[in-house]
């Protein structure tokens, strides 16, 4: 599987490009995040020279361990895509270039306080739970506005670039597309009420990225279809 990871990137890029054309866009308007959680650094190194746009990890400790083995100057950004506990925020800032799973005001304030120490600005996405599944993190669509307001007014070291969601797992096509369309419409609303660009819509994983791109995704997060099945989660 790992031997063929580069061919898989090319095949996924092709499907992204076709889906982007169907939504009136081009494939280069969609970035591809390789979700490397649970997979070894050796697998990630196959992508070192940049056929993908970054790596996604969901655990701070795992990412720290891997990044210590990562070659200096390996320039792709590392994205935190899982729920971040506040007591791990400082470590997360050591290892991640961006946090795509901002899901609460308390976390935003904790990150802001830590970022102030070095006057660093962190790009973030607000994670929205568009399918109402209890097990999922992310704010509800209704809470997203209040979280964005809190960040814009009180967290100058957080740069909100857009929204992220996880589609309903195992959902039917209509249901999955509906969740993605909800995120897109929420982005349009927030854009006009806050006068922010919010260019990033991170949606789409191995099982649903073609639908996500057709629904306007600008960033897909692909694990299994690139690296194979995970042995644990
Ligand atoms: C694991 C994970 C992915 C990748 O899922 P695959 O189905 O393996 O492509 C994407 N996004 C998030 C937030 C994840 O936790």
């Amino acid at each position: 599987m790992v031997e063929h990871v580069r061919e898989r990137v090319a095949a996924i890029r092709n499907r992204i490009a076709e889906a982007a054309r169907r939504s009136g866009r081009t494939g280069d308007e969609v970035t591809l995040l390789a979700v490397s959680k649970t997979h070894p650094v050796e697998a990630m190194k196959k992508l070192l020279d940049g056929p993908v746009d970054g790596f996604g990890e969901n655990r701070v400790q795992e990412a720290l361990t891997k990044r210590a083995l990562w070659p200096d100057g390996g320039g792709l950004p590392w994205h935190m895509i899982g729920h971040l506990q506040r007591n791990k925020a400082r470590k997360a800032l050591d290892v991640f270039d961006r946090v795509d799973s901002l899901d609460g005001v308390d976390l935003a304030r904790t990150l802001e306080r830590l970022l102030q120490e070095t006057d660093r600005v962190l790009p973030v996405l607000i994670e929205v739970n568009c399918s109402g599944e209890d097990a999922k993190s992310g704010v509800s669509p209704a809470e997203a506005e209040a979280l964005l307001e809190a960040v814009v007014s009180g967290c100058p070291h957080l740069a909100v670039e857009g929204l992220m969601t996880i589609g309903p797992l195992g959902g039917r096509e209509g249901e999955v597309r509906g969740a993605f369309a909800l995120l897109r419409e929420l982005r349009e609303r927030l854009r006009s009420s806050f006068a922010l660009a919010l260019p990033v819509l991170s949606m789409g994983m191995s099982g649903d990225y073609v639908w996500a791109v057709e629904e306007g995704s600008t960033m897909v997060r692909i694990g299994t279809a690139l690296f194979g099945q995970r042995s644990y989660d």
Side-chain angles (χ1 to χ4, degrees):
M1 186 77 194
V2 166
E3 287 65 52
H4 299 295
V5 64
R6 298 181 68 89
E7 287 95 312
R8 283 167 189 274
V9 170
I12 290 166
R13 289 266 192 212
N14 281 336
R15 295 189 68 197
I16 289 172
E18 286 162 14
R21 276 195 291 278
R22 288 192 292 275
S23 71
R25 299 182 296 155
T26 59
D28 51 13
E29 292 171 61
V30 182
T31 55
L32 171 55
L33 206 61
V35 177
S36 44
K37 63 186 188 195
T38 80
H39 295 288
V41 166
E42 289 63 45
M44 300 167 70
K45 282 187 181 160
K46 306 259 184 211
L47 304 173
L48 191 58
D49 59 334
V52 296
D53 299 295
F55 294 105
E57 291 277 339
N58 67 342
R59 291 201 177 132
V60 174
Q61 189 52 53
E62 181 183 339
L64 272 170
T65 306
K66 286 181 182 172
R67 205 149 184 180
L69 303 169
W70 195 247
D72 282 346
L76 293 172
W78 289 49
H79 298 226
M80 175 58 170
I81 60 170
H83 175 64
L84 178 56
Q85 291 167 274
R86 278 186 290 156
N87 62 4
K88 298 201 177 135
R90 185 180 290 279
K91 279 189 173 170
L93 290 175
D94 286 340
V95 63
F96 290 108
D97 301 290
R98 332 172 29 109
V99 171
D100 293 356
S101 47
L102 186 70
D103 59 3
V105 175
D106 291 343
L107 175 61
R109 294 203 175 116
T110 300
L111 288 168
E112 171 63 27
R113 185 168 43 75
L114 296 168
L115 290 160
Q116 273 171 12
E117 293 173 6
T118 54
D119 201 21
R120 166 180 165 197
V121 174
L122 182 77
V124 297
L125 302 178
I126 290 179
E127 181 177 357
V128 183
N129 180 346
C130 289
S131 53
E133 290 161 280
D134 286 345
K136 266 191 205 161
S137 51
V139 295
S140 71
E143 291 161 341
E145 177 159 2
L147 175 53
L148 183 55
E149 173 63 36
V151 173
V152 166
S153 63
C155 305
H157 294 84
L158 296 180
V160 183
E161 296 194 340
L163 307 177
M164 185 271 251
T165 200
I166 299 175
L169 299 174
R172 285 170 295 104
E173 177 175 351
E175 196 186 335
V176 176
R177 283 186 185 272
F180 293 151
L182 190 76
L183 195 74
R184 184 186 67 225
E185 286 154 14
L186 179 62
R187 193 257 301 249
E188 298 317 314
R189 273 210 304 285
L190 296 175
R191 244 182 186 168
S192 53
S193 43
F194 288 85
L196 287 173
L198 304 177
V200 182
L201 269 187
S202 174
M203 52 191 202
M205 320 199 321
S206 294
D208 56 19
Y209 70 92
V210 169
W211 295 334
V213 172
E214 288 175 357
E215 296 294 339
S217 172
T218 70
M219 179 187 289
V220 297
R221 310 178 306 269
I222 310 288
T224 312
L226 263 182
F227 296 114
Q229 292 293 331
R230 289 180 287 275
S231 48
Y232 66 98
D233 245 314

